Amino acid sequence: MLKGINQWCYPEGTSLEKVLEYSKEAGFETVELNVNPSGGIGLTVDSRSDDAKKIKSLIETYDLEIKSISTALLWQFPLSSPDEAVRAQGRAIVEKQIELAAAMDVDTVLVVPGIVSEEVTYDQCYQRSQKELRKVLPLAEKHQVHIGIENVWNKFLLSPLEMSRYVDELDSEYAGVYFDIGNVLQFGYPEQWIRILGSRICKVHVKDFNTSVGNITGFVPLLAGDVNWQAVSKALKDLGYKGPLTAELSPYKLDTKALAADTAKHIELIIDAG
């Protein structure tokens, strides 16, 4: 498995060059960039394929790889929205992710499928998001880019059995799971999810969680929470997963580089634990 870090692990406004410099210095092997709003740093909704190729070349000058692209924009434009225009904007964001991934030879894009709320019922979220994903899957298949459905705190896909069913119903080898270990800890056991989701897992996010807090403020640095990292590491190795374990953590307030240095060491310990 590889040591990976997401761009969000650095304070907002950190230049792409510094993200890459600090990541390489800390010992990471891969970086995950995010598709940001217009005017953001790195990849944005306005980026073209040529822009993405230049960024890929820049990444390589730091002797790093990029294997996945994320975005937070699907919280603003969810594929489950009751507004057709909002869903279309969300779909365009996923298409942009796929376009940029193809230009960079990246094989996975992270997608938050939808959000259950008082206005959007669970079954509506399920049906609408699948309908929108089926519209973008032909593009993903054309470019051989996997759509990794992430388990997040969106009150949706709350068990590994349901997530497996949701992905299987999309009926495409390019529909899979971007599994976030810390996100399931309040509701289950990530090592069990890994064994049930199996080969559907395209990529993995690592973060830790303190279950005694019991809400979204319970996320803590790696190894400081309640994840059974030995069991998780073993489950991933038994699965044959060889991709990145990508850290997605909140940056430290005192030192821009400190989180990267600490986290790289933590991921090494996690890899060795199983």
Side-chain angles (χ1 to χ4, degrees), residues 70 100 205:
S70 180
L100 298 176
H205 266 168

Side-chain angles (χ1 to χ4, degrees), residues 1 7 26 51 60 108-109 115 118 166 169:
M1 290 180 278
Q7 184 178 3
D51 302 319
E60 290 173 343
T108 304
V109 297
I115 305 167
E118 290 185 356
Y166 180 92
E169 286 174 350

Side-chain angles (χ1 to χ4, degrees), residues 146-150 167 170 172-178 200-202:
H146 293 86
I147 293 176
I149 307 297
E150 190 185 25
V167 169
L170 292 172
S172 171
E173 63 178 304
Y174 290 97
V177 174
Y178 199 129
R200 300 175 185 85
I201 295 175
C202 303

Side-chain angles (χ1 to χ4, degrees), residues 133-171:
L133 288 169
R134 289 190 178 103
K135 293 176 184 177
V136 300
L137 271 167
L139 183 65
E141 292 164 355
K142 174 185 175 182
H143 291 295
Q144 298 184 321
V145 173
H146 293 86
I147 293 176
I149 307 297
E150 190 185 25
N151 53 293
V152 295
W153 284 50
N154 54 353
K155 304 183 186 299
F156 187 52
L157 301 180
L158 299 176
S159 86
L161 295 174
E162 184 186 16
M163 185 163 234
S164 297
R165 171 189 164 188
Y166 180 92
V167 169
D168 290 348
E169 286 174 350
L170 292 172
D171 194 25

Side-chain angles (χ1 to χ4, degrees), residues 4-23:
I5 188 167
N6 183 283
Q7 184 178 3
W8 285 318
C9 290
Y10 298 98
E12 187 175 353
T14 303
S15 71
L16 184 55
E17 289 80 4
K18 288 299 182 185
V19 166
L20 300 175
E21 176 188 334
Y22 298 157
S23 298

Side-chain angles (χ1 to χ4, degrees), residues 16-228:
L16 184 55
E17 289 80 4
K18 288 299 182 185
V19 166
L20 300 175
E21 176 188 334
Y22 298 157
S23 298
K24 179 60 181 176
E25 185 180 309
F28 285 97
E29 296 157 292
T30 70
V31 292
E32 182 173 77
L33 300 185
N34 310 306
V35 175
N36 294 305
S38 180
I41 291 172
L43 298 173
T44 74
V45 291
D46 299 321
S47 295
R48 299 179 180 273
S49 293
D50 286 346
D51 302 319
K53 289 175 181 177
K54 290 176 183 176
I55 290 175
K56 173 73 177 292
S57 295
L58 178 63
I59 291 170
E60 290 173 343
T61 65
Y62 288 86
D63 195 26
L64 291 165
E65 296 182 90
I66 177 169
K67 294 185 175 293
S68 53
I69 293 173
S70 180
T71 188
L73 293 172
L74 291 173
W75 290 96
Q76 184 178 355
F77 303 105
L79 298 176
S80 57
S81 171
D83 187 331
E84 185 177 350
V86 172
R87 295 199 304 275
Q89 287 177 285
R91 193 169 67 246
I93 290 164
V94 179
E95 291 169 347
K96 174 60 70 172
Q97 286 181 281
I98 294 169
E99 171 196 331
L100 298 176
M104 301 174 81
D105 296 318
V106 167
D107 65 14
T108 304
V109 297
L110 182 154
V111 171
V112 174
I115 305 167
V116 175
S117 65
E118 290 185 356
E119 294 73 30
V120 177
T121 64
Y122 204 106
D123 56 333
Q124 288 172 337
C125 184
Y126 197 103
Q127 294 157 10
R128 288 174 188 160
S129 60
Q130 279 193 334
K131 182 178 180 180
E132 297 304 324
L133 288 169
R134 289 190 178 103
K135 293 176 184 177
V136 300
L137 271 167
L139 183 65
E141 292 164 355
K142 174 185 175 182
H143 291 295
Q144 298 184 321
V145 173
H146 293 86
I147 293 176
I149 307 297
E150 190 185 25
N151 53 293
V152 295
W153 284 50
N154 54 353
K155 304 183 186 299
F156 187 52
L157 301 180
L158 299 176
S159 86
L161 295 174
E162 184 186 16
M163 185 163 234
S164 297
R165 171 189 164 188
Y166 180 92
V167 169
D168 290 348
E169 286 174 350
L170 292 172
D171 194 25
S172 171
E173 63 178 304
Y174 290 97
V177 174
Y178 199 129
F179 182 59
D180 189 303
I181 289 167
N183 278 347
V184 305
L185 199 64
Q186 187 64 22
F187 320 105
Y189 300 91
E191 61 271 22
Q192 294 179 12
W193 280 63
I194 291 165
R195 296 189 185 282
I196 292 169
L197 294 173
S199 61
R200 300 175 185 85
I201 295 175
C202 303
K203 294 290 183 292
V204 175
H205 266 168
V206 289
K207 53 179 179 271
D208 215 331
F209 186 79
N210 185 339
T211 55
S212 65
V213 176
N215 58 50
I216 204 165
T217 64
F219 289 104
V220 294
L222 294 179
L223 310 186
D226 297 314
V227 172
N228 182 341

